[in-house]
């Protein structure tokens, strides 16, 4: 009996150890989330939605921001005239690599884009700062620093710089667009307005917030929650909806991480918006759902 127990333990222990690792590897490869998100580089499709495929080059960029050095990649389509630019804002504990398929597909279709890592925004962020110091306000600062820098790039029309934000990056993009007057168009993909309500319900006062805790696999500090609890509005969607530019929401109807109803309500509040619903899709698009999303983005950003 003891021998059988030892054999069973010998089998179970490796399984218990390896199962989470395999799960993280698969998650990183499929949707670019977690410590192995770089694997998605090897699982990247590229779609072309324009009549003619464009050549583009990927240029590494570094921006000196107030939170440290911000590192990103410019997917650059060379054109004779100044052109629009789309800046991408990734979600919590993901990186610019997560958006590689989208970026190369838009560039292949003739749209130049810039994608970057938020400071402290992921376990494997290439930008500076500890994740324990990150919050929606530090990310707002990063996005402002990126936009200010992008406006100085000679290749682009500074009056036509748009932003596409995903999940928490969508919330950051929405806040930033409301507070600036120079964001041309705004695309919010399953924007995390819900996290605002969720965190405020969990921590009605700042003194209840612990010094640090894990969130979506990322070690966050007190500032992450404090900056939401103390943010000066009781209705984050109504606050952000004063943005007047063209806005496109894209959201899966089966999203369990950020409920679809939040985008439905936001679309009703924004004065110049539309909503594309992807039936049955969850949080983080793959396969045909991803292709549908990118095609909608292409059509939105290529409109004159």
């Amino acid at each position: 009996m003891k021998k059988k127990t030892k054999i069973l333990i010998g089998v179970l222990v490796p399984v218990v150890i390896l199962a989470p690792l395999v799960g993280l590897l698969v998650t990183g490869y499929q949707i670019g989330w977690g410590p192995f998100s770089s694997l998605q580089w090897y699982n990247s499709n590229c779609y072309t939605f324009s009549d003619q495929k464009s050549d583009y080059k990927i240029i590494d960029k570094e921006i000196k921001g107030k939170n440290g050095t911000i590192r990103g990649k410019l997917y650059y389509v060379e054109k004779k005239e100044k052109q629009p630019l789309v800046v991408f804002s990734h979600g919590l504990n993901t990186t610019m690599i997560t958006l590689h398929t989208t970026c190369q597909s838009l560039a292949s279709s003739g749209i130049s884009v810039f994608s970057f890592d938020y400071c402290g925004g992921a376990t494997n962020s290439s930008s500076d700062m500890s994740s324990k110091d990150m919050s929606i306000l530090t990310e707002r600062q990063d996005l402002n620093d990126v936009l200010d820098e992008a406006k100085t790039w000679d290749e682009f029309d500074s009056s036509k710089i748009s932003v596409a934000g995903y999940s928490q990056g969508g919330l950051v993009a929405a806040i930033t667009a409301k507070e600036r007057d120079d964001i041309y168009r705004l695309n919010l993909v399953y924007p995390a307005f819900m996290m605002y309500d969720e965190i405020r319900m969990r921590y009605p006062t700042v003194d209840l917030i612990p010094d640090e805790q894990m969130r979506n696999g990322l070690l966050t500090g007190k500032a992450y929650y404090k900056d939401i609890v103390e943010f000066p509005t009781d209705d984050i969607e109504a606050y952000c909806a004063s943005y007047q530019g063209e806005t496109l929401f894209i959201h899966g109807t089966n999203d369990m991480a950020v409920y679809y109803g939040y985008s439905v309500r936001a679309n009703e509040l924004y004065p110049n918006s539309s909503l594309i619903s992807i039936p049955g899709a969850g949080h983080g698009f793959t396969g045909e759902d991803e292709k549908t999303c990118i095609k909608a983005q292409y059509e939105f950003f290529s409109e004159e």
Side-chain angles (χ1 to χ4, degrees):
M1 193 69 181
K2 288 182 178 180
K3 187 176 180 180
K4 289 183 178 180
T5 301
K6 287 181 179 180
I7 294 173
L8 184 61
I9 292 173
V11 172
L12 289 177
V13 169
V15 170
V16 170
I17 293 173
L18 290 174
L21 179 61
V22 171
L24 287 171
L25 286 167
V26 171
T27 301
Y29 180 71
Q30 289 293 335
I31 66 173
W33 181 90
F36 301 106
S37 62
S38 59
L39 289 175
Q40 198 179 54
W41 280 98
Y42 304 101
N43 185 34
S44 297
N45 297 311
C46 182
Y47 309 106
T48 301
F49 300 106
S50 56
D51 294 334
Q52 184 174 351
K53 185 175 181 179
S54 297
D55 292 327
Y56 64 92
K57 52 188 175 182
I58 302 176
I59 304 168
D60 290 330
K61 291 272 192 182
E62 287 192 355
I63 296 170
K64 300 300 181 183
K66 291 186 178 178
N67 295 317
T69 300
I70 301 166
R71 296 175 177 87
K73 295 183 182 296
L74 175 65
Y75 296 68
Y76 177 57
V77 183
E78 189 170 357
K79 297 182 180 180
K80 293 181 180 179
E81 69 282 355
K82 283 182 178 286
Q83 59 180 298
L85 177 70
V86 181
V87 172
F88 277 83
S89 170
H90 67 74
L92 178 67
N93 206 18
T94 65
T95 67
M96 57 183 163
I97 293 172
T98 312
L99 302 172
H100 178 60
T101 295
T102 299
C103 292
Q104 66 174 354
S105 296
L106 292 179
S108 176
S109 303
I111 298 174
S112 290
V113 302
F114 180 68
S115 188
F116 67 96
D117 283 356
Y118 276 116
C119 291
T123 54
N124 53 344
S125 173
S126 65
S127 297
D128 291 348
M129 201 170 78
S130 166
S131 63
K132 291 190 291 184
D133 298 320
M134 177 273 299
S135 75
I136 59 166
L137 298 190
T138 66
E139 292 198 343
R140 179 184 66 180
Q141 182 62 59
D142 290 345
L143 183 53
N144 275 307
D145 290 339
V146 167
L147 291 169
D148 290 342
E149 178 72 15
K151 287 172 69 69
T152 70
W153 295 341
D154 292 336
E155 305 94 328
F156 303 105
D157 183 344
S158 62
S159 69
K160 291 187 177 180
I161 296 179
S162 301
V163 177
Y166 290 68
S167 195
Q168 178 175 298
L171 173 60
V172 173
I175 292 171
T176 305
K178 176 263 188 296
E179 294 174 349
R180 295 179 68 110
D181 60 1
D182 59 353
I183 291 179
Y184 183 54
R185 285 179 179 152
L186 181 64
N187 170 219
L188 301 177
V189 184
Y190 38 80
F193 291 116
M194 177 180 166
M195 67 178 280
Y196 187 87
D197 292 339
E198 172 242 318
I199 288 173
R200 283 194 155 202
M201 287 178 64
R202 192 193 310 178
Y203 302 117
T205 60
V206 170
D207 59 291
L208 296 174
I209 303 171
D211 290 335
E212 59 183 50
Q213 60 184 300
M214 299 297 292
R215 184 176 178 87
N216 289 10
L218 184 68
L219 182 61
T220 55
K222 189 165 187 171
Y224 181 86
Y225 304 89
K226 180 176 179 289
D227 285 349
I228 289 179
V229 172
E230 293 185 338
F231 198 82
T233 181
D234 292 326
D235 189 336
I236 191 64
E237 289 171 285
Y239 174 84
C240 294
S242 61
Y243 171 71
Q244 298 296 309
E246 290 184 59
T247 305
L248 174 65
F249 293 92
I250 304 175
H251 211 133
T253 59
N254 282 6
D255 192 334
M256 295 293 103
V258 176
Y259 296 154
Y260 168 72
Y262 277 79
S263 283
V264 173
R265 177 174 186 259
N267 183 51
E268 294 170 350
L269 292 172
Y270 273 69
N272 190 16
S273 69
S274 58
L275 168 63
I276 291 180
S277 305
I278 301 184
H283 199 70
F285 301 140
T286 58
E288 286 301 310
D289 293 337
E290 180 184 51
K291 185 177 180 180
T292 297
C293 177
I294 301 171
K295 182 179 180 182
Q297 291 172 311
Y298 166 72
E299 293 171 349
F300 180 63
F301 289 123
S302 62
E303 288 178 351
E304 292 297 331

